Amino acid sequence: MIGLFSAAQARAAEQRVLAGTRPDALMQRAATGLATVCLDLLGRAHGVRVVLLVGSGDNGADTLLAGARLASRGAQVRAVLLDPERAHAAGLAALRRSGGRVVDADGAGLERADLVLDGIVGIGGSGPLRPAAAELVRRATAGPGLLVAVDLPSGVDADTGEVPGAAFPAQHTVTFGALKPGLVVGAGRGRAGTVHLVDIGLADALTAPGAVQLTDADVAGHLEAPDADDDKYSRGVVGVLAGSATYPGAGVLCTGAALRTRPGLVRYAGTAADGVRAAWPEAIVTAGRPGDAGRVQAWVAGPGMGTDDDALSVLREVLATDLPVVLDADALTLVSQHRELVGDRSAPTVLTPHDREFARLFGDVGTDRVAAARRGAAALGCTVLLKGAATVVADAAGSTFVNGTGTPWLATAGTGDVLAGILGAVLATGLPAAEAAAVAAHLHGRAGELAAQRGPLIAGDLVRRLPETVARLRGSAA
């Protein structure tokens, strides 16, 4: 797992490390790491045109010191100082000794730069960029240079990913010591590009992360192949309540995703029985109620099932059990009208809302998606999987995951039904609800990435690519 640490946690860790070492040690490590990443990205240094956008404080210092290292390797380095009176003196001296130059904005040469380093604002910044900084960002974006942010793209909130105005649109971000939530969630994720974490010696000084991100290896550990003692019942039996006679697609997609994730046994109950049976003869299908389906270890309820009295009756029956339940789509609409259905449960319950569904349940998401997911989970004593460009999972105890996989191509009809089926299959294995939801989101995102390699995807493509996705994840952990 990869820990996510707030700006306050990162700064506190830095202070603890600095108490036992020389004052500039962390800056030197950060500058060396930043310069090394830039050299790797560029492939060379000699003759490369580099523009540094330098603010005050440690972030600007890191940028100047990295610029000095690049200049010493033959790069043509120019620095634009946003606040000359507060620029880091030692960093400026190092840059000049190495042959770098300080120029004004007009002499920066952003229209010809090969590399632009954004050191305007660091993790302590808040609010929108000032006009002069925003103009430099605009010019850098219009130019041809590779855009690299130092620690955090300027204009992005380090803790929430909020972007209240102009922000540096990094193609790469080189962050130091700890991964900040704003790089992987909210609008900040779209400004960070590829994130490179540089070790500057903070690991032992960091407190427990506020959230975590699963790796492929973490997820592969929950997708193990069956062994010689397994049978169809030992792999986790999931029940699906989805779709209708008029709209069977949700039932077909949800059932197929559950089968393709862990092909032990999937039971379907509902009025889309004929469509599900035709698409997936491997499933055990009934047109009756949940009690007619047979024994399961977890239920998925909601996609395409409707919101009428019959659907509410079925939902009440499932939520009256002591089994884990995933609630998606129409089930969320019903829960927003009958909150006691979830609030009175003691068994694990996972809600999977997108932003509009979340708003009906808990109020607007706002700019802090991690805080919103935690708020919803606490309100109903459940686990919330808040869908988005970076899906956030939180449970009532505060455990929080931020998903790092996926593609914008997943924003199409039916992909949520697939996610619900994957989650039901993982939850049926007995994994804790929040971890099961995080595993499902990761797997769903990887399947989307794989399917999108062939062009625009539809939900059925995800189901078809799930076996290959699972195999790749397991292969990456071997």
Side-chain angles (χ1 to χ4, degrees), residues 337-388:
Q337 300 162 0
H338 304 275
R339 293 168 64 88
E340 74 282 355
L341 291 175
V342 172
D344 293 344
R345 294 197 90 219
S346 58
T349 312
V350 184
L351 276 59
T352 61
H354 54 58
D355 284 23
R356 292 182 298 280
E357 292 166 334
F358 185 95
R360 291 199 295 270
L361 286 159
F362 307 114
D364 288 344
V365 173
T367 58
D368 190 339
R369 299 183 68 81
V370 169
R374 289 172 175 162
R375 168 166 52 91
L380 287 181
C382 62
T383 295
V384 170
L385 183 155
L386 177 57
K387 299 173 186 174

mmCIF file of all heavy atoms in Angstrom, residues 337-388:
data_model
loop_
_atom_site.group_PDB
_atom_site.id
_atom_site.type_symbol
_atom_site.label_atom_id
_atom_site.label_comp_id
_atom_site.label_asym_id
_atom_site.label_seq_id
_atom_site.Cartn_x
_atom_site.Cartn_y
_atom_site.Cartn_z
ATOM 1 N N GLN A 337 -34.566 7.615 0.413
ATOM 2 C CA GLN A 337 -35.936 7.815 0.893
ATOM 3 C C GLN A 337 -36.236 7.038 2.169
ATOM 4 O O GLN A 337 -37.188 7.353 2.887
ATOM 5 C CB GLN A 337 -36.921 7.394 -0.212
ATOM 6 C CG GLN A 337 -36.768 8.173 -1.506
ATOM 7 C CD GLN A 337 -37.420 7.490 -2.692
ATOM 8 O OE1 GLN A 337 -38.001 6.408 -2.572
ATOM 9 N NE2 GLN A 337 -37.330 8.121 -3.861
ATOM 10 N N HIS A 338 -35.410 6.026 2.437
ATOM 11 C CA HIS A 338 -35.623 5.151 3.604
ATOM 12 C C HIS A 338 -34.264 4.865 4.243
ATOM 13 O O HIS A 338 -33.761 3.741 4.194
ATOM 14 C CB HIS A 338 -36.302 3.847 3.181
ATOM 15 C CG HIS A 338 -37.600 4.034 2.462
ATOM 16 N ND1 HIS A 338 -38.790 4.202 3.110
ATOM 17 C CD2 HIS A 338 -37.879 4.092 1.125
ATOM 18 C CE1 HIS A 338 -39.765 4.354 2.222
ATOM 19 N NE2 HIS A 338 -39.234 4.295 1.008
ATOM 20 N N ARG A 339 -33.672 5.871 4.853
ATOM 21 C CA ARG A 339 -32.308 5.759 5.377
ATOM 22 C C ARG A 339 -32.183 4.688 6.457
ATOM 23 O O ARG A 339 -31.103 4.130 6.668
ATOM 24 C CB ARG A 339 -31.855 7.108 5.913
ATOM 25 C CG ARG A 339 -31.693 8.165 4.821
ATOM 26 C CD ARG A 339 -31.527 9.555 5.421
ATOM 27 N NE ARG A 339 -30.332 9.699 6.208
ATOM 28 C CZ ARG A 339 -29.154 10.055 5.718
ATOM 29 N NH1 ARG A 339 -29.016 10.310 4.420
ATOM 30 N NH2 ARG A 339 -28.110 10.186 6.509
ATOM 31 N N GLU A 340 -33.277 4.396 7.136
ATOM 32 C CA GLU A 340 -33.226 3.390 8.201
ATOM 33 C C GLU A 340 -32.875 2.010 7.672
ATOM 34 O O GLU A 340 -32.393 1.155 8.427
ATOM 35 C CB GLU A 340 -34.562 3.346 8.948
ATOM 36 C CG GLU A 340 -35.715 2.681 8.198
ATOM 37 C CD GLU A 340 -36.359 3.550 7.116
ATOM 38 O OE1 GLU A 340 -35.959 4.742 7.001
ATOM 39 O OE2 GLU A 340 -37.264 3.058 6.417
ATOM 40 N N LEU A 341 -33.084 1.778 6.388
ATOM 41 C CA LEU A 341 -32.757 0.475 5.814
ATOM 42 C C LEU A 341 -31.279 0.143 5.986
ATOM 43 O O LEU A 341 -30.906 -1.018 6.181
ATOM 44 C CB LEU A 341 -33.113 0.448 4.325
ATOM 45 C CG LEU A 341 -34.599 0.470 3.973
ATOM 46 C CD1 LEU A 341 -34.778 0.559 2.468
ATOM 47 C CD2 LEU A 341 -35.304 -0.752 4.524
ATOM 48 N N VAL A 342 -30.436 1.153 5.909
ATOM 49 C CA VAL A 342 -29.005 0.957 6.108
ATOM 50 C C VAL A 342 -28.591 1.321 7.527
ATOM 51 O O VAL A 342 -27.801 0.623 8.163
ATOM 52 C CB VAL A 342 -28.191 1.795 5.094
ATOM 53 C CG1 VAL A 342 -26.698 1.758 5.421
ATOM 54 C CG2 VAL A 342 -28.429 1.279 3.683
ATOM 55 N N GLY A 343 -29.139 2.416 8.046
ATOM 56 C CA GLY A 343 -28.742 2.886 9.362
ATOM 57 C C GLY A 343 -28.986 1.888 10.475
ATOM 58 O O GLY A 343 -28.276 1.888 11.484
ATOM 59 N N ASP A 344 -29.985 1.012 10.297
ATOM 60 C CA ASP A 344 -30.312 0.028 11.334
ATOM 61 C C ASP A 344 -29.558 -1.288 11.174
ATOM 62 O O ASP A 344 -29.726 -2.205 11.976
ATOM 63 C CB ASP A 344 -31.822 -0.264 11.329
ATOM 64 C CG ASP A 344 -32.650 0.941 11.766
ATOM 65 O OD1 ASP A 344 -32.055 1.871 12.349
ATOM 66 O OD2 ASP A 344 -33.867 0.963 11.509
ATOM 67 N N ARG A 345 -28.719 -1.406 10.128
ATOM 68 C CA ARG A 345 -28.014 -2.665 9.888
ATOM 69 C C ARG A 345 -26.747 -2.766 10.734
ATOM 70 O O ARG A 345 -26.062 -1.784 10.975
ATOM 71 C CB ARG A 345 -27.586 -2.813 8.423
ATOM 72 C CG ARG A 345 -28.680 -2.933 7.418
ATOM 73 C CD ARG A 345 -28.114 -3.493 6.100
ATOM 74 N NE ARG A 345 -28.174 -4.950 6.084
ATOM 75 C CZ ARG A 345 -27.244 -5.738 5.582
ATOM 76 N NH1 ARG A 345 -26.134 -5.223 5.094
ATOM 77 N NH2 ARG A 345 -27.408 -7.043 5.595
ATOM 78 N N SER A 346 -26.411 -3.999 11.103
ATOM 79 C CA SER A 346 -25.121 -4.254 11.739
ATOM 80 C C SER A 346 -24.171 -4.977 10.784
ATOM 81 O O SER A 346 -22.958 -4.948 10.975
ATOM 82 C CB SER A 346 -25.299 -5.089 13.004
ATOM 83 O OG SER A 346 -25.948 -6.322 12.714
ATOM 84 N N ALA A 347 -24.706 -5.619 9.752
ATOM 85 C CA ALA A 347 -23.875 -6.312 8.768
ATOM 86 C C ALA A 347 -23.229 -5.294 7.830
ATOM 87 O O ALA A 347 -23.737 -4.182 7.653
ATOM 88 C CB ALA A 347 -24.716 -7.306 7.967
ATOM 89 N N PRO A 348 -22.098 -5.659 7.209
ATOM 90 C CA PRO A 348 -21.419 -4.716 6.308
ATOM 91 C C PRO A 348 -22.302 -4.298 5.141
ATOM 92 O O PRO A 348 -22.963 -5.135 4.510
ATOM 93 C CB PRO A 348 -20.210 -5.512 5.815
ATOM 94 C CG PRO A 348 -19.972 -6.543 6.862
ATOM 95 C CD PRO A 348 -21.331 -6.920 7.366
ATOM 96 N N THR A 349 -22.313 -3.001 4.865
ATOM 97 C CA THR A 349 -23.076 -2.448 3.751
ATOM 98 C C THR A 349 -22.188 -1.477 2.998
ATOM 99 O O THR A 349 -21.566 -0.605 3.607
ATOM 100 C CB THR A 349 -24.326 -1.703 4.244
ATOM 101 O OG1 THR A 349 -25.026 -2.505 5.190
ATOM 102 C CG2 THR A 349 -25.250 -1.376 3.077
ATOM 103 N N VAL A 350 -22.121 -1.629 1.680
ATOM 104 C CA VAL A 350 -21.305 -0.750 0.845
ATOM 105 C C VAL A 350 -22.217 0.022 -0.096
ATOM 106 O O VAL A 350 -22.962 -0.578 -0.886
ATOM 107 C CB VAL A 350 -20.268 -1.533 0.022
ATOM 108 C CG1 VAL A 350 -19.382 -0.568 -0.757
ATOM 109 C CG2 VAL A 350 -19.419 -2.433 0.915
ATOM 110 N N LEU A 351 -22.180 1.338 -0.010
ATOM 111 C CA LEU A 351 -22.921 2.201 -0.921
ATOM 112 C C LEU A 351 -21.959 2.711 -1.986
ATOM 113 O O LEU A 351 -20.823 3.098 -1.674
ATOM 114 C CB LEU A 351 -23.517 3.393 -0.163
ATOM 115 C CG LEU A 351 -24.850 3.200 0.559
ATOM 116 C CD1 LEU A 351 -24.760 2.097 1.595
ATOM 117 C CD2 LEU A 351 -25.303 4.495 1.233
ATOM 118 N N THR A 352 -22.409 2.734 -3.251
ATOM 119 C CA THR A 352 -21.516 3.091 -4.360
ATOM 120 C C THR A 352 -22.050 4.275 -5.163
ATOM 121 O O THR A 352 -22.320 4.161 -6.362
ATOM 122 C CB THR A 352 -21.321 1.877 -5.297
ATOM 123 O OG1 THR A 352 -22.585 1.507 -5.842
ATOM 124 C CG2 THR A 352 -20.737 0.696 -4.541
ATOM 125 N N PRO A 353 -22.197 5.440 -4.559
ATOM 126 C CA PRO A 353 -22.802 6.567 -5.276
ATOM 127 C C PRO A 353 -21.824 7.317 -6.172
ATOM 128 O O PRO A 353 -20.632 7.403 -5.887
ATOM 129 C CB PRO A 353 -23.251 7.481 -4.133
ATOM 130 C CG PRO A 353 -22.236 7.235 -3.052
ATOM 131 C CD PRO A 353 -21.916 5.761 -3.158
ATOM 132 N N HIS A 354 -22.352 7.877 -7.271
ATOM 133 C CA HIS A 354 -21.645 8.955 -7.950
ATOM 134 C C HIS A 354 -22.062 10.261 -7.269
ATOM 135 O O HIS A 354 -22.853 10.258 -6.303
ATOM 136 C CB HIS A 354 -21.913 8.957 -9.449
ATOM 137 C CG HIS A 354 -23.355 8.990 -9.845
ATOM 138 N ND1 HIS A 354 -24.233 9.987 -9.454
ATOM 139 C CD2 HIS A 354 -24.102 8.140 -10.618
ATOM 140 C CE1 HIS A 354 -25.428 9.767 -9.968
ATOM 141 N NE2 HIS A 354 -25.387 8.652 -10.667
ATOM 142 N N ASP A 355 -21.553 11.386 -7.738
ATOM 143 C CA ASP A 355 -21.751 12.642 -7.015
ATOM 144 C C ASP A 355 -23.224 13.004 -6.825
ATOM 145 O O ASP A 355 -23.620 13.474 -5.748
ATOM 146 C CB ASP A 355 -21.032 13.783 -7.745
ATOM 147 C CG ASP A 355 -19.534 13.762 -7.529
ATOM 148 O OD1 ASP A 355 -18.998 12.681 -7.207
ATOM 149 O OD2 ASP A 355 -18.893 14.816 -7.683
ATOM 150 N N ARG A 356 -24.044 12.821 -7.846
ATOM 151 C CA ARG A 356 -25.451 13.208 -7.721
ATOM 152 C C ARG A 356 -26.181 12.288 -6.747
ATOM 153 O O ARG A 356 -27.020 12.747 -5.958
ATOM 154 C CB ARG A 356 -26.129 13.180 -9.094
ATOM 155 C CG ARG A 356 -25.602 14.262 -10.040
ATOM 156 C CD ARG A 356 -26.323 14.259 -11.370
ATOM 157 N NE ARG A 356 -26.149 12.993 -12.091
ATOM 158 C CZ ARG A 356 -25.078 12.671 -12.793
ATOM 159 N NH1 ARG A 356 -24.045 13.504 -12.852
ATOM 160 N NH2 ARG A 356 -25.011 11.511 -13.432
ATOM 161 N N GLU A 357 -25.867 11.009 -6.783
ATOM 162 C CA GLU A 357 -26.469 10.085 -5.821
ATOM 163 C C GLU A 357 -26.000 10.403 -4.404
ATOM 164 O O GLU A 357 -26.788 10.345 -3.445
ATOM 165 C CB GLU A 357 -26.114 8.645 -6.199
ATOM 166 C CG GLU A 357 -26.776 8.188 -7.484
ATOM 167 C CD GLU A 357 -26.183 6.902 -8.040
ATOM 168 O OE1 GLU A 357 -24.995 6.614 -7.752
ATOM 169 O OE2 GLU A 357 -26.902 6.195 -8.771
ATOM 170 N N PHE A 358 -24.729 10.728 -4.267
ATOM 171 C CA PHE A 358 -24.200 11.102 -2.957
ATOM 172 C C PHE A 358 -24.950 12.314 -2.414
ATOM 173 O O PHE A 358 -25.293 12.365 -1.222
ATOM 174 C CB PHE A 358 -22.708 11.401 -3.064
ATOM 175 C CG PHE A 358 -22.048 11.682 -1.738
ATOM 176 C CD1 PHE A 358 -21.399 10.673 -1.047
ATOM 177 C CD2 PHE A 358 -22.092 12.957 -1.182
ATOM 178 C CE1 PHE A 358 -20.794 10.927 0.184
ATOM 179 C CE2 PHE A 358 -21.486 13.219 0.045
ATOM 180 C CZ PHE A 358 -20.842 12.199 0.725
ATOM 181 N N ALA A 359 -25.200 13.303 -3.272
ATOM 182 C CA ALA A 359 -25.885 14.517 -2.830
ATOM 183 C C ALA A 359 -27.282 14.210 -2.310
ATOM 184 O O ALA A 359 -27.738 14.823 -1.333
ATOM 185 C CB ALA A 359 -25.949 15.524 -3.975
ATOM 186 N N ARG A 360 -27.978 13.273 -2.949
ATOM 187 C CA ARG A 360 -29.311 12.910 -2.461
ATOM 188 C C ARG A 360 -29.248 12.225 -1.104
ATOM 189 O O ARG A 360 -30.166 12.339 -0.296
ATOM 190 C CB ARG A 360 -30.004 11.985 -3.471
ATOM 191 C CG ARG A 360 -30.394 12.661 -4.767
ATOM 192 C CD ARG A 360 -31.454 11.863 -5.505
ATOM 193 N NE ARG A 360 -30.986 10.574 -5.951
ATOM 194 C CZ ARG A 360 -30.416 10.341 -7.135
ATOM 195 N NH1 ARG A 360 -30.213 11.354 -7.975
ATOM 196 N NH2 ARG A 360 -30.024 9.126 -7.482
ATOM 197 N N LEU A 361 -28.166 11.530 -0.846
ATOM 198 C CA LEU A 361 -28.018 10.799 0.410
ATOM 199 C C LEU A 361 -27.456 11.660 1.538
ATOM 200 O O LEU A 361 -27.927 11.587 2.683
ATOM 201 C CB LEU A 361 -27.090 9.592 0.199
ATOM 202 C CG LEU A 361 -27.667 8.403 -0.569
ATOM 203 C CD1 LEU A 361 -26.537 7.557 -1.140
ATOM 204 C CD2 LEU A 361 -28.541 7.568 0.349
ATOM 205 N N PHE A 362 -26.435 12.467 1.220
ATOM 206 C CA PHE A 362 -25.650 13.102 2.286
ATOM 207 C C PHE A 362 -25.406 14.594 2.091
ATOM 208 O O PHE A 362 -24.747 15.215 2.920
ATOM 209 C CB PHE A 362 -24.272 12.417 2.395
ATOM 210 C CG PHE A 362 -24.345 10.925 2.557
ATOM 211 C CD1 PHE A 362 -23.865 10.080 1.563
ATOM 212 C CD2 PHE A 362 -24.886 10.353 3.696
ATOM 213 C CE1 PHE A 362 -23.915 8.702 1.702
ATOM 214 C CE2 PHE A 362 -24.951 8.982 3.844
ATOM 215 C CZ PHE A 362 -24.454 8.148 2.853
ATOM 216 N N GLY A 363 -25.903 15.195 1.005
ATOM 217 C CA GLY A 363 -25.579 16.581 0.690
ATOM 218 C C GLY A 363 -24.434 16.651 -0.307
ATOM 219 O O GLY A 363 -23.802 15.649 -0.639
ATOM 220 N N ASP A 364 -24.161 17.847 -0.794
ATOM 221 C CA ASP A 364 -23.157 18.019 -1.843
ATOM 222 C C ASP A 364 -21.796 17.459 -1.432
ATOM 223 O O ASP A 364 -21.390 17.565 -0.273
ATOM 224 C CB ASP A 364 -22.999 19.499 -2.185
ATOM 225 C CG ASP A 364 -24.191 20.041 -2.958
ATOM 226 O OD1 ASP A 364 -24.971 19.230 -3.479
ATOM 227 O OD2 ASP A 364 -24.331 21.278 -3.027
ATOM 228 N N VAL A 365 -21.114 16.903 -2.412
ATOM 229 C CA VAL A 365 -19.779 16.359 -2.170
ATOM 230 C C VAL A 365 -18.811 17.459 -1.752
ATOM 231 O O VAL A 365 -18.013 17.293 -0.824
ATOM 232 C CB VAL A 365 -19.250 15.642 -3.433
ATOM 233 C CG1 VAL A 365 -17.798 15.233 -3.245
ATOM 234 C CG2 VAL A 365 -20.115 14.430 -3.752
ATOM 235 N N GLY A 366 -18.865 18.601 -2.423
ATOM 236 C CA GLY A 366 -17.938 19.683 -2.129
ATOM 237 C C GLY A 366 -16.575 19.446 -2.755
ATOM 238 O O GLY A 366 -16.402 18.566 -3.611
ATOM 239 N N THR A 367 -15.587 20.207 -2.318
ATOM 240 C CA THR A 367 -14.261 20.140 -2.924
ATOM 241 C C THR A 367 -13.345 19.115 -2.267
ATOM 242 O O THR A 367 -12.304 18.782 -2.812
ATOM 243 C CB THR A 367 -13.576 21.519 -2.860
ATOM 244 O OG1 THR A 367 -13.495 21.941 -1.490
ATOM 245 C CG2 THR A 367 -14.358 22.553 -3.655
ATOM 246 N N ASP A 368 -13.726 18.607 -1.089
ATOM 247 C CA ASP A 368 -12.897 17.627 -0.378
ATOM 248 C C ASP A 368 -13.587 16.266 -0.455
ATOM 249 O O ASP A 368 -14.449 15.928 0.356
ATOM 250 C CB ASP A 368 -12.708 18.049 1.080
ATOM 251 C CG ASP A 368 -11.662 17.206 1.806
ATOM 252 O OD1 ASP A 368 -11.372 16.087 1.341
ATOM 253 O OD2 ASP A 368 -11.143 17.661 2.844
ATOM 254 N N ARG A 369 -13.201 15.478 -1.445
ATOM 255 C CA ARG A 369 -13.889 14.222 -1.700
ATOM 256 C C ARG A 369 -13.583 13.178 -0.615
ATOM 257 O O ARG A 369 -14.435 12.338 -0.311
ATOM 258 C CB ARG A 369 -13.510 13.687 -3.084
ATOM 259 C CG ARG A 369 -13.894 14.640 -4.201
ATOM 260 C CD ARG A 369 -13.578 14.067 -5.577
ATOM 261 N NE ARG A 369 -14.425 12.931 -5.893
ATOM 262 C CZ ARG A 369 -15.668 13.018 -6.356
ATOM 263 N NH1 ARG A 369 -16.232 14.208 -6.517
ATOM 264 N NH2 ARG A 369 -16.344 11.932 -6.631
ATOM 265 N N VAL A 370 -12.397 13.211 -0.076
ATOM 266 C CA VAL A 370 -12.072 12.282 1.007
ATOM 267 C C VAL A 370 -12.948 12.562 2.217
ATOM 268 O O VAL A 370 -13.533 11.660 2.816
ATOM 269 C CB VAL A 370 -10.576 12.369 1.364
ATOM 270 C CG1 VAL A 370 -10.281 11.611 2.646
ATOM 271 C CG2 VAL A 370 -9.723 11.829 0.216
ATOM 272 N N ALA A 371 -13.055 13.832 2.603
ATOM 273 C CA ALA A 371 -13.888 14.203 3.742
ATOM 274 C C ALA A 371 -15.356 13.858 3.478
ATOM 275 O O ALA A 371 -16.073 13.438 4.395
ATOM 276 C CB ALA A 371 -13.740 15.689 4.047
ATOM 277 N N ALA A 372 -15.800 14.029 2.233
ATOM 278 C CA ALA A 372 -17.187 13.717 1.908
ATOM 279 C C ALA A 372 -17.479 12.228 2.085
ATOM 280 O O ALA A 372 -18.494 11.842 2.680
ATOM 281 C CB ALA A 372 -17.500 14.142 0.477
ATOM 282 N N ALA A 373 -16.601 11.374 1.574
ATOM 283 C CA ALA A 373 -16.811 9.931 1.712
ATOM 284 C C ALA A 373 -16.837 9.533 3.185
ATOM 285 O O ALA A 373 -17.660 8.710 3.612
ATOM 286 C CB ALA A 373 -15.725 9.168 0.965
ATOM 287 N N ARG A 374 -15.941 10.103 3.978
ATOM 288 C CA ARG A 374 -15.932 9.801 5.412
ATOM 289 C C ARG A 374 -17.221 10.280 6.079
ATOM 290 O O ARG A 374 -17.766 9.612 6.953
ATOM 291 C CB ARG A 374 -14.721 10.463 6.061
ATOM 292 C CG ARG A 374 -13.392 9.818 5.698
ATOM 293 C CD ARG A 374 -12.236 10.643 6.214
ATOM 294 N NE ARG A 374 -10.944 9.991 5.995
ATOM 295 C CZ ARG A 374 -9.784 10.617 6.027
ATOM 296 N NH1 ARG A 374 -9.744 11.933 6.268
ATOM 297 N NH2 ARG A 374 -8.655 9.957 5.823
ATOM 298 N N ARG A 375 -17.689 11.441 5.669
ATOM 299 C CA ARG A 375 -18.927 11.985 6.239
ATOM 300 C C ARG A 375 -20.108 11.065 5.961
ATOM 301 O O ARG A 375 -20.927 10.780 6.847
ATOM 302 C CB ARG A 375 -19.161 13.386 5.661
ATOM 303 C CG ARG A 375 -20.536 13.971 5.916
ATOM 304 C CD ARG A 375 -20.555 15.473 5.626
ATOM 305 N NE ARG A 375 -20.046 15.813 4.310
ATOM 306 C CZ ARG A 375 -20.804 15.911 3.208
ATOM 307 N NH1 ARG A 375 -22.094 15.628 3.264
ATOM 308 N NH2 ARG A 375 -20.258 16.260 2.057
ATOM 309 N N GLY A 376 -20.213 10.592 4.731
ATOM 310 C CA GLY A 376 -21.304 9.688 4.386
ATOM 311 C C GLY A 376 -21.223 8.374 5.145
ATOM 312 O O GLY A 376 -22.230 7.863 5.642
ATOM 313 N N ALA A 377 -20.021 7.830 5.241
ATOM 314 C CA ALA A 377 -19.846 6.560 5.946
ATOM 315 C C ALA A 377 -20.233 6.692 7.416
ATOM 316 O O ALA A 377 -20.884 5.814 7.986
ATOM 317 C CB ALA A 377 -18.398 6.090 5.813
ATOM 318 N N ALA A 378 -19.839 7.801 8.035
ATOM 319 C CA ALA A 378 -20.172 8.004 9.443
ATOM 320 C C ALA A 378 -21.664 8.211 9.647
ATOM 321 O O ALA A 378 -22.233 7.766 10.657
ATOM 322 C CB ALA A 378 -19.396 9.206 9.991
ATOM 323 N N ALA A 379 -22.305 8.862 8.693
ATOM 324 C CA ALA A 379 -23.728 9.179 8.843
ATOM 325 C C ALA A 379 -24.594 7.932 8.901
ATOM 326 O O ALA A 379 -25.589 7.884 9.636
ATOM 327 C CB ALA A 379 -24.179 10.079 7.696
ATOM 328 N N LEU A 380 -24.236 6.887 8.132
ATOM 329 C CA LEU A 380 -25.057 5.677 8.081
ATOM 330 C C LEU A 380 -24.344 4.450 8.633
ATOM 331 O O LEU A 380 -24.882 3.341 8.551
ATOM 332 C CB LEU A 380 -25.517 5.406 6.643
ATOM 333 C CG LEU A 380 -26.606 6.341 6.109
ATOM 334 C CD1 LEU A 380 -26.985 5.960 4.676
ATOM 335 C CD2 LEU A 380 -27.848 6.303 6.997
ATOM 336 N N GLY A 381 -23.145 4.634 9.176
ATOM 337 C CA GLY A 381 -22.434 3.487 9.728
ATOM 338 C C GLY A 381 -22.131 2.426 8.696
ATOM 339 O O GLY A 381 -22.232 1.222 8.959
ATOM 340 N N CYS A 382 -21.729 2.856 7.504
ATOM 341 C CA CYS A 382 -21.528 1.937 6.383
ATOM 342 C C CYS A 382 -20.182 2.228 5.734
ATOM 343 O O CYS A 382 -19.378 3.003 6.239
ATOM 344 C CB CYS A 382 -22.649 2.113 5.362
ATOM 345 S SG CYS A 382 -22.695 3.777 4.630
ATOM 346 N N THR A 383 -19.937 1.597 4.597
ATOM 347 C CA THR A 383 -18.788 1.912 3.746
ATOM 348 C C THR A 383 -19.301 2.645 2.518
ATOM 349 O O THR A 383 -20.296 2.228 1.921
ATOM 350 C CB THR A 383 -18.044 0.637 3.331
ATOM 351 O OG1 THR A 383 -17.487 0.015 4.491
ATOM 352 C CG2 THR A 383 -16.925 0.943 2.352
ATOM 353 N N VAL A 384 -18.640 3.723 2.152
ATOM 354 C CA VAL A 384 -19.026 4.506 0.973
ATOM 355 C C VAL A 384 -17.917 4.418 -0.059
ATOM 356 O O VAL A 384 -16.745 4.685 0.245
ATOM 357 C CB VAL A 384 -19.293 5.976 1.337
ATOM 358 C CG1 VAL A 384 -19.459 6.835 0.078
ATOM 359 C CG2 VAL A 384 -20.541 6.087 2.204
ATOM 360 N N LEU A 385 -18.285 4.017 -1.269
ATOM 361 C CA LEU A 385 -17.401 4.064 -2.429
ATOM 362 C C LEU A 385 -17.903 5.214 -3.296
ATOM 363 O O LEU A 385 -18.911 5.086 -3.972
ATOM 364 C CB LEU A 385 -17.419 2.736 -3.184
ATOM 365 C CG LEU A 385 -16.489 2.583 -4.392
ATOM 366 C CD1 LEU A 385 -16.155 1.113 -4.637
ATOM 367 C CD2 LEU A 385 -17.102 3.169 -5.663
ATOM 368 N N LEU A 386 -17.224 6.346 -3.203
ATOM 369 C CA LEU A 386 -17.618 7.546 -3.940
ATOM 370 C C LEU A 386 -16.933 7.535 -5.298
ATOM 371 O O LEU A 386 -15.725 7.729 -5.402
ATOM 372 C CB LEU A 386 -17.239 8.793 -3.140
ATOM 373 C CG LEU A 386 -17.510 10.149 -3.797
ATOM 374 C CD1 LEU A 386 -18.985 10.306 -4.163
ATOM 375 C CD2 LEU A 386 -17.059 11.282 -2.870
ATOM 376 N N LYS A 387 -17.727 7.299 -6.339
ATOM 377 C CA LYS A 387 -17.178 7.176 -7.681
ATOM 378 C C LYS A 387 -16.692 8.530 -8.203
ATOM 379 O O LYS A 387 -17.241 9.568 -7.874
ATOM 380 C CB LYS A 387 -18.241 6.628 -8.636
ATOM 381 C CG LYS A 387 -18.755 5.248 -8.288
ATOM 382 C CD LYS A 387 -19.923 4.880 -9.198
ATOM 383 C CE LYS A 387 -20.570 3.579 -8.814
ATOM 384 N NZ LYS A 387 -21.785 3.295 -9.600
ATOM 385 N N GLY A 388 -15.690 8.471 -9.043
ATOM 386 C CA GLY A 388 -15.170 9.679 -9.663
ATOM 387 C C GLY A 388 -13.885 9.372 -10.396
ATOM 388 O O GLY A 388 -13.470 8.211 -10.498
#
